[in-house]
């Protein structure tokens, strides 16, 4: 016996099934296009220097290719999975959280773009560790950079694989071929501990399909395959957002109505992850196992003095064994806003409700900030509701931190630096800055509006908020009778994840092949050997990330924030000093990298002991670790440089006094 529910949306199964064939066709066409681009890219590998072409596209990117690959790489799975989840969970305050992203291209591309491109061309550098090693004439420093890139990017790669798999799972839900294949896969891996431990056979199937596709086309096509697919994916992303925006506003009754309803909202009461919840009791025992799926709704008698029933939603699947009637500590959330309760009850026939059960032993807790009944308006004003932080989601000091986090830390991302090493001339850089700024504006501000509307249209998604983007796409298109359009809309976040995964794969594989093997182990390696190792490294790294993603961490957006801020704290100061300060030496730049990385990591580790979670870092003076990490990195680099001998004159002459290379 099973209560059927599509766990990826708040819609009944019948909604998810309609239009599913069109979604499958859209996915197959999209995947075919990606492999065509990879095949075309592979032809370039045969006509040019392999190592430069495979990892850097021979430094020949024009305006549209450079701008869209830069934008698509930055608009990762976090932009279309973690970011919508944050908007849905905390409300309008996310506009302030992401506000500085519009100036990211000005900081990232304008601040170091031209100078980094010139230095890379002079030294013949292919990768970021290449630049560091050659600029400071220090193989040890280059290997340190490789180690940090592999450390951080491995975290991020797993998170992106998870995001892509969840999005694909939503896209294909209801397709009969997909469901039957997932059932067959479940039977095939039943005796294999690692594979059978995945959260569901559907997730495992999507992970394998997504992972194999992105690993193969990246391995085969190299940098140009990544760039060309990024261009296609960048176009898909912005079209998807532009289509969703008017649909969301109109179906939510307009922005004024959305804001008014959000002002009346209070956060749900939630189960403690480790203890508590509710007890469910069947009205009569069943002869079969009763599966209670995540997302199912449960009603209970109103509290005395009220006519509105209590409304709960299951956030962790459970079961009642055959012959028994009771299960304890069922993890649920309880809606506390009257409008939300009435909205769900009004479409009871379209939602999945558990009937013939009763509720007892209710043990739930309120949010630390935004408690129901006392803080209406938490979703429309700062600092926004928070489950665990009594100061709210985004106090002013954290808002300042995130302004610098997005605007400044993007400059310190090695994945962005690789793009800056690949454009063909200065005019391309100048025009791309404007193009990317406009592109980000068309992406991020509409996302805030869309998923504030989602709070009104799809209440009770906090337990699975990472899936709100595809759930919203299905909901909006079904309401206008165009379920086939969901395939295009869900392709937007899917494209975002693919464009990031392929870039990270190349970044990590280049670190191993170019910076470890060719530069340190076998400088005389033949192009045939480098080619084989490049293919092998990209394939192995992608496969390893896919395996780890079978049981991925839960905190998608938190992982992305940790990786982004950690890379910036480690790389920004050494790169800036290396590009613009003649006096800096290898010791000073290494001191900057070690100082920023160590302090940033220490604040996260301290958060684990003080706040109970690695992803709730300790905040000195209530500032995010990125601010403290950058400060320590720049200061330590300056001090160590001043205390040590200056660099050799010939090194300064090479990078600061030679005729500028065309860029």
């Amino acid at each position: 016996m099973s209560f059927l529910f599509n766990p990826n949306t708040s819609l009944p199964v019948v909604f998810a099934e309609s239009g599913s064939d069109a979604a499958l066709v859209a996915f197959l066409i999209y995947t075919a296009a990606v492999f065509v681009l990879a095949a075309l890219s592979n032809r370039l590998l045969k006509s040019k220097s392999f190592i430069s072409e495979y990892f850097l596209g021979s430094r020949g990117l024009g305006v549209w290719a450079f701008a869209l690959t830069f934008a698509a790489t930055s608009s990762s799975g976090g932009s279309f999975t973690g970011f919508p989840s944050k908007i849905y969970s905390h409300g309008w305050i996310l506009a302030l959280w992401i506000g500085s992203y519009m100036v990211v291209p000005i900081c990232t591309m304008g601040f170091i773009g031209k100078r980094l491109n010139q230095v890379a061309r002079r030294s013949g550098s292919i990768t970021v560790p290449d630049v560091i090693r050659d600029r400071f004439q220090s193989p040890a420093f280059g290997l340190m950079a490789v180690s940090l890139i592999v450390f951080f990017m491995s975290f991020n790669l797993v998170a992106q694989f998870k995001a892509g798999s969840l999005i694909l799972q939503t896209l294909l839900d209801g397709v009969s071929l997909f469901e039957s294949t997932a059932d067959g896969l479940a039977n095939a891996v039943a005796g294999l501990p690692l594979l059978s431990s995945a959260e569901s056979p559907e997730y495992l199937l999507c992970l394998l399909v997504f992972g194999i596709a992105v690993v193969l086309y990246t391995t085969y096509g190299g940098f140009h395959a990544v760039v060309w697919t990024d261009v296609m994916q960048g176009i898909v992303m912005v079209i998807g957002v532009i289509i969703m925006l008017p649909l969301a506003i109109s179906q939510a009754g307009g922005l004024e109505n959305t804001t008014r309803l959000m002002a009346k909202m209070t956060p749900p009461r939630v189960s403690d992850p480790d203890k508590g919840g509710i007890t469910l009791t069947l009205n009569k025992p069943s002869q079969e196992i009763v599966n209670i799926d995540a997302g199912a709704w449960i009603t209970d008698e109103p509290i005395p003095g009220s006519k509105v029933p209590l409304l709960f939603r299951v956030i962790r699947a459970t079961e009642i064994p055959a012959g028994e009637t009771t299960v304890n500590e069922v993890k649920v959330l309880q809606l506390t806003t009257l409008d939300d309760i009435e909205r769900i009850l009004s479409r009871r026939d379209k939602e999945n409700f558990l009937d013939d059960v009763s509720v007892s032993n209710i043990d739930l807790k309120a949010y630390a900030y935004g408690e129901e009944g006392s803080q209406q308006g938490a979703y429309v004003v700062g600092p926004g509701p928070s489950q665990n932080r009594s100061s709210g989601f985004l106090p002013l000091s954290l808002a300042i931190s995130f302004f610098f986090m997005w605007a400044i830390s993007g400059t310190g991302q090695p994945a962005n630096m690789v793009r800056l090493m690949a454009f063909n001339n200065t005019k391309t850089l100048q025009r791309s800055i404007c193009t990317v700024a406009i592109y980000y504006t068309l992406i991020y501000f509409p996302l805030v509006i869309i998923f504030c509307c989602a709070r009104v249209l799809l209440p009770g998604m906090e337990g699975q908020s990472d899936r709100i983007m595809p759930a919203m796409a299905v909901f909006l298109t079904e309401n206008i009778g165009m379920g086939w359009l969901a395939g295009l809309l869900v392709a937007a976040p899917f494209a975002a994840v693919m464009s990031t995964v392929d870039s990270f794969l190349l970044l990590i594989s280049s670190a191993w092949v170019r910076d470890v093997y060719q530069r340190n182990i076998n400088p005389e390696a033949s192009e045939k050997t480098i080619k084989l190792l490049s293919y092998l490294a990209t394939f192995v790294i992608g496969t390893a990330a896919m395996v780890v993603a079978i049981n991925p961490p839960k905190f998608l957006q938190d992982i992305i924030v940790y990786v982004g801020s950690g890379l910036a704290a480690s790389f920004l100061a050494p790169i800036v000093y290396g590009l613009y300060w003649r006096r800096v030496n290898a010791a000073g730049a290494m001191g900057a990298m070690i100082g920023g990385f160590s302090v940033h990591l220490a604040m996260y580790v301290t958060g684990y002991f003080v706040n109970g979670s690695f992803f709730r870092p300790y905040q000195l003076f209530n500032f995010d670790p990125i601010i403290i990490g950058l400060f320590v990195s720049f200061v330590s680099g300056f001090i160590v440089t001043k205390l040590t001998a200056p660099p050799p004159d010939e090194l300064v002459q090479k990078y600061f006094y030679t005729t500028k290379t065309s860029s």
Side-chain angles (χ1 to χ4, degrees), residues 579-615:
L579 296 180
Y580 294 109
W581 191 18
R582 295 176 178 86
R583 173 64 174 79
V584 71
N585 54 22
M590 291 175 72
M593 180 173 285
I594 294 172
F597 170 76
S598 301
V599 169
H600 181 270
L601 179 62
M603 293 179 72
Y604 272 86
V605 172
T606 303
Y608 175 80
F609 293 103
V610 174
N611 300 320
S613 172
F614 182 81
F615 296 107

Side-chain angles (χ1 to χ4, degrees), residues 18-312:
S18 59
S20 59
D21 290 340
L24 177 59
V25 171
F27 170 70
L28 292 176
I29 293 174
Y30 182 82
T31 304
V34 165
F35 277 97
V36 168
L37 291 175
L40 294 174
S41 301
N42 188 262
R43 292 187 177 184
L44 292 176
L45 298 176
K46 301 175 182 178
S47 60
K48 300 182 180 181
S49 169
F50 176 84
I51 192 75
S52 176
E53 175 62 32
Y54 190 81
F55 291 124
L56 205 58
S58 298
R59 309 183 200 273
L61 300 188
V63 174
W64 288 107
F66 174 55
L68 286 178
T69 189
F70 186 95
T73 299
S74 299
S75 301
S76 67
S79 298
F80 285 87
T81 306
F83 181 50
S85 170
K86 293 286 189 186
I87 301 168
Y88 184 88
S89 300
H90 305 290
W92 280 110
I93 192 65
L94 266 294
L96 181 60
W97 190 77
I98 200 68
S100 70
Y101 222 79
M102 307 323 112
V103 299
V104 163
I106 298 174
C107 295
T108 304
M109 304 164 82
F111 186 34
I112 67 170
K114 182 175 181 178
R115 181 77 178 124
L116 178 61
N117 191 283
Q118 289 174 339
V119 169
R121 286 173 185 268
R122 283 179 199 173
S123 62
S125 300
I126 303 296
T127 66
V128 174
D130 248 1
V131 173
I132 290 173
R133 174 189 173 122
D134 293 337
R135 167 63 182 85
F136 296 102
Q137 293 295 294
S138 174
F141 195 8
L143 289 174
M144 180 189 296
V146 170
S147 301
L148 291 183
I149 286 175
V150 172
F151 172 77
F152 281 114
M153 286 303 175
S154 298
F155 277 99
N156 213 341
L157 200 57
V158 173
Q160 300 298 332
F161 268 92
K162 174 188 176 182
S165 304
L166 291 176
I167 292 167
L168 183 57
Q169 185 178 347
T170 300
L171 181 66
L172 299 180
D173 259 330
V175 177
S176 57
L177 177 60
F178 170 68
E179 301 291 351
S180 60
T181 304
D183 291 340
L185 180 63
N187 294 329
V189 303
L192 303 175
L194 178 63
L195 297 178
S196 60
S197 63
E199 63 180 54
S200 70
E202 290 79 11
Y203 171 80
L204 179 60
L205 177 59
C206 289
L207 174 64
L208 294 175
V209 172
F210 170 77
I212 291 172
V214 74
V215 170
L216 286 181
Y217 87 72
T218 305
T219 300
Y220 186 64
F223 187 83
H224 256 115
V226 170
V227 169
W228 289 349
T229 53
D230 280 356
V231 171
M232 180 180 72
Q233 290 154 352
I235 294 171
V236 169
M237 281 187 275
V238 76
I239 290 176
V241 171
I242 290 174
I243 291 175
M244 287 187 73
L245 180 62
L247 292 178
I249 293 174
S250 62
Q251 293 184 29
L255 279 179
E256 180 181 355
N257 183 62
T258 298
T259 305
R260 185 175 66 252
L261 291 174
M262 288 180 65
K264 297 163 62 178
M265 289 180 182
T266 52
R269 297 177 65 83
V270 293
S271 302
D272 187 286
D274 301 318
K275 61 181 180 179
I278 64 173
T279 296
L280 283 183
T281 303
L282 294 174
N283 293 344
K284 58 181 180 179
S286 170
Q287 300 304 311
E288 301 176 359
I289 295 175
V290 178
N291 295 312
I292 302 173
D293 294 334
W297 293 100
I298 306 165
T299 57
D300 193 29
E301 294 297 322
I303 60 174
S306 172
K307 296 182 180 180
V308 180
L310 301 181
L311 185 60
F312 306 92

